[in-house]
Amino acid sequence: MNRLPSIARLATIGAICIGLAAHGVANASLTRNAAGAKNIGESGRLTIDTAGQMESDQDGKTWIFETGAQYQVSSRLQILVESVLYERFQPDVGESAKGLGDTDATLSWLLSEGNKSLPSLVVGARVKIPTAGDEIGTGKADYSALLVLGKESGELELSVEAEYATFGAPPGETLKDQLLYTVTAEYGLTGFMAAYAELFGGSAPTAAESRSDAALVGLELDYQLSKVAAPYVSFEIDTEGVGSARAGVEWTW
């Protein structure tokens, strides 16, 4: 969630850029972003994101309430901590599960801002802290290394994120390391609305499963209510049949 360019660039590079921007506009939620060059900005900037989300698929529905804190340590270094304060999964068949979710911490370093010919380049590291109960999480920590490339042209933003992830497996399970990717295109439609599309997937998570790939399309509306507060809503659906709606507020100082 980058914060500045122009309001038209709101939903910043979905699933990868977490940003912090300087004076201007609200952009995509912290949760929809992760690490990206154009979102690394003014030193000392603090952004808090609080949001609720509902997801629905063929197996049931999930409700999530989460918050994220993003701090700009310097003009090239930023840290993001995201925590799921409450999660509830209600399957169509069987018992529901609810409780505290996991916490993610991501550190991002801007190596190159890019130019007209070359994309921006960010490297990062992420750790999942297993704060969730047994019904929600694995109870084990996960670790990731990130590489993010970004490029923009007018109202169009393109980004590619590669992630190498090592997952902590619960007792009785064996999880393989995975190479994950996300390719995102976002276009500012108006001063408060942006459309985005993503292609994402990864290598096989276990010996018994195959690799997976999917795509989604989404729409985000966001409004700069004041210099500090920026409410937003977003809607998306993917090729796996998962639909979600999210509403939240970003607070920036």
Side-chain angles (χ1 to χ4, degrees):
M1 87 188 220
N2 173 308
R3 292 169 184 2
L4 269 70
S6 77
I7 315 185
R9 291 168 188 170
L10 14 170
T12 347
I13 304 182
I16 38 195
C17 295
I18 71 182
L20 227 10
H23 341 260
V25 224
N27 277 9
S29 69
L30 285 171
T31 301
R32 194 163 73 75
N33 295 312
K38 67 167 293 187
N39 300 307
I40 297 179
E42 183 179 329
S43 177
R45 177 76 49 164
L46 173 65
T47 299
I48 304 293
D49 182 329
T50 55
Q53 180 168 315
M54 190 278 283
E55 297 180 359
S56 178
D57 61 19
Q58 60 183 2
D59 297 320
K61 292 181 173 60
T62 301
W63 289 267
I64 299 171
F65 178 72
E66 58 194 336
T67 187
Q70 174 187 296
Y71 181 70
Q72 199 70 40
V73 180
S74 72
S75 60
R76 288 185 176 270
L77 181 66
Q78 67 178 5
I79 184 169
L80 168 67
V81 178
E82 299 170 287
S83 182
V84 177
L85 302 180
Y86 179 79
E87 182 174 356
R88 177 184 175 88
F89 174 58
Q90 180 64 61
D92 293 333
V93 178
E95 297 183 359
S96 63
K98 61 182 179 180
L100 180 70
D102 289 317
T103 299
D104 287 343
T106 304
L107 191 67
S108 303
W109 179 265
L110 173 63
L111 289 182
S112 173
E113 296 180 356
N115 53 41
K116 291 184 179 181
S117 302
L118 299 175
S120 59
L121 174 62
V122 168
V123 294
R126 177 182 299 140
V127 59
K128 184 201 79 176
I129 304 167
T131 52
D134 294 340
E135 289 187 332
I136 301 295
T138 63
K140 303 293 183 179
D142 301 336
Y143 304 93
S144 298
L146 307 170
L147 177 67
V148 185
L149 300 175
K151 189 71 176 168
E152 63 178 272
S153 177
E155 299 304 327
L156 177 65
E157 296 179 1
L158 301 173
S159 69
V160 178
E161 179 182 280
E163 176 179 1
Y164 184 81
T166 297
F167 300 96
E173 292 189 38
T174 300
L175 299 178
K176 298 171 62 177
D177 293 352
Q178 281 187 275
L179 181 61
L180 309 171
Y181 74 90
T182 305
V183 180
T184 304
E186 177 194 326
Y187 189 80
L189 301 173
T190 71
F192 60 89
M193 182 187 302
Y196 57 93
E198 291 181 6
L199 177 65
F200 56 94
S203 57
T206 68
E209 298 179 72
S210 60
R211 65 168 293 115
S212 62
D213 300 276
L216 66 77
V217 292
L219 184 70
E220 181 161 309
L221 296 87
D222 120 334
Y223 179 70
Q224 193 71 43
L225 187 63
S226 68
K227 290 183 178 181
V228 173
Y232 64 88
V233 295
S234 64
F235 308 91
E236 61 185 45
I237 187 168
D238 68 23
T239 54
E240 302 282 307
V242 179
S244 68
R246 179 182 179 87
V249 180
E250 288 184 359
W251 311 85
T252 303
W253 297 271

